């Protein structure tokens, strides 16, 4: 899967309505840049199988390589959606053998409190190195690259 083409949009769900069919929904996010709509269908991976609701802070990822309608507000097909906590940030990136993101925007310092799971919630018992990771964190150092001890990691196998 080409996770490298995924783009993150973080915001608060302000509306949820039925999509084009009975198996999809349209969610409206309020972001710092404005309103963005997402179609949530059967192919959308909702991390932890959380029930989406109004007022929830989420980060939605869409595939920038897919065609989108030229409308305003923008509308994308969500590939991954995850709920986020207060002051929590989420990054989806490929992390190398040193646990440094491919764009060198973050380096991970995994400690024993870091929860590492697969996308379906199972414990991940191998090394998370050289994989696409969905990383949840709150604070980083001011170094280059910034470093963090993530609260949680979801390994996208």
């Amino acid at each position: 899967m080409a996770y490298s083409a995924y783009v993150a949009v973080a915001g608060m769900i302000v509306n949820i309505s039925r999509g084009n069919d009975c198996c999809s929904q349209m969610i409206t996010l309020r972001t710092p840049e404005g309103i963005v709509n997402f179609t949530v269908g059967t192919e959308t991976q909702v991390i932890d199988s959380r029930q989406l609701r109004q007022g929830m802070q989420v980060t939605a990822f869409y595939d920038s390589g897919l065609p989108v309608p030229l409308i305003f507000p923008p509308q994308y097909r969500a590939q991954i959606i995850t709920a986020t906590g207060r002051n929590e940030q989420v990054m989806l990136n490929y992390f190398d053998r040193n646990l440094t993101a491919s764009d060198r925007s973050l380096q991970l310092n995994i400690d024993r409190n870091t929860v590492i799971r697969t996308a379906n919630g199972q414990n991940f018992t191998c090394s998370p190195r050289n994989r696409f990771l969905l990383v949840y964190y709150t604070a980083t150092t001011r170094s280059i690259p910034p470093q963090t001890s993530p609260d949680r990691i979801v390994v996208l196998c």
Side-chain angles (χ1 to χ4, degrees):
M1 188 161 270
Y3 294 114
S4 57
Y6 283 19
V7 176
V9 177
M12 182 178 69
I13 298 175
V14 293
N15 189 43
I16 301 175
S17 60
R18 189 175 136 203
N20 295 335
D21 59 41
C22 294
C23 292
S24 67
Q25 295 178 318
M26 180 69 68
I27 64 168
T28 301
L29 295 184
R30 181 181 299 125
T31 73
E33 292 79 32
I35 297 295
V36 179
N37 292 319
F38 281 94
T39 301
V40 179
T42 56
E43 72 286 347
T44 303
Q45 187 173 25
V46 180
I47 302 296
D48 297 331
S49 298
R50 298 274 306 264
Q51 178 68 43
L52 301 176
R53 57 180 164 60
Q54 281 185 306
M56 181 182 270
Q57 288 291 130
V58 298
T59 299
F61 295 87
Y62 68 90
D63 187 341
S64 63
L66 294 177
V68 295
L70 295 174
I71 59 175
F72 187 81
Q75 179 177 318
Y76 305 105
R77 280 190 286 170
Q79 301 298 316
I80 299 173
I81 295 182
T82 185
T84 54
R86 177 168 290 239
N87 299 321
E88 185 174 53
Q89 297 183 57
V90 178
M91 173 188 277
L92 173 62
N93 210 317
Y94 180 84
F95 287 83
D96 66 14
R97 62 184 171 83
N98 298 316
L99 292 173
T100 301
S102 63
D103 60 0
R104 299 201 35 83
S105 60
L106 190 65
Q107 183 173 4
L108 306 181
N109 296 318
I110 297 175
D111 62 26
R112 64 188 207 341
N113 294 325
T114 303
V115 176
I116 304 175
R117 307 255 163 128
T118 61
N120 65 3
Q122 304 307 303
N123 287 328
F124 186 76
T125 58
C126 298
S127 171
R129 298 172 195 282
N130 298 313
R131 298 180 184 272
F132 277 96
L133 306 175
L134 190 59
V135 179
Y136 298 76
Y137 62 98
T138 52
T140 63
T141 63
R142 295 182 187 259
S143 62
I144 298 177
Q147 297 181 31
T148 189
S149 294
D151 301 317
R152 181 166 75 125
I153 296 173
V154 175
V155 180
L156 300 174
C157 296

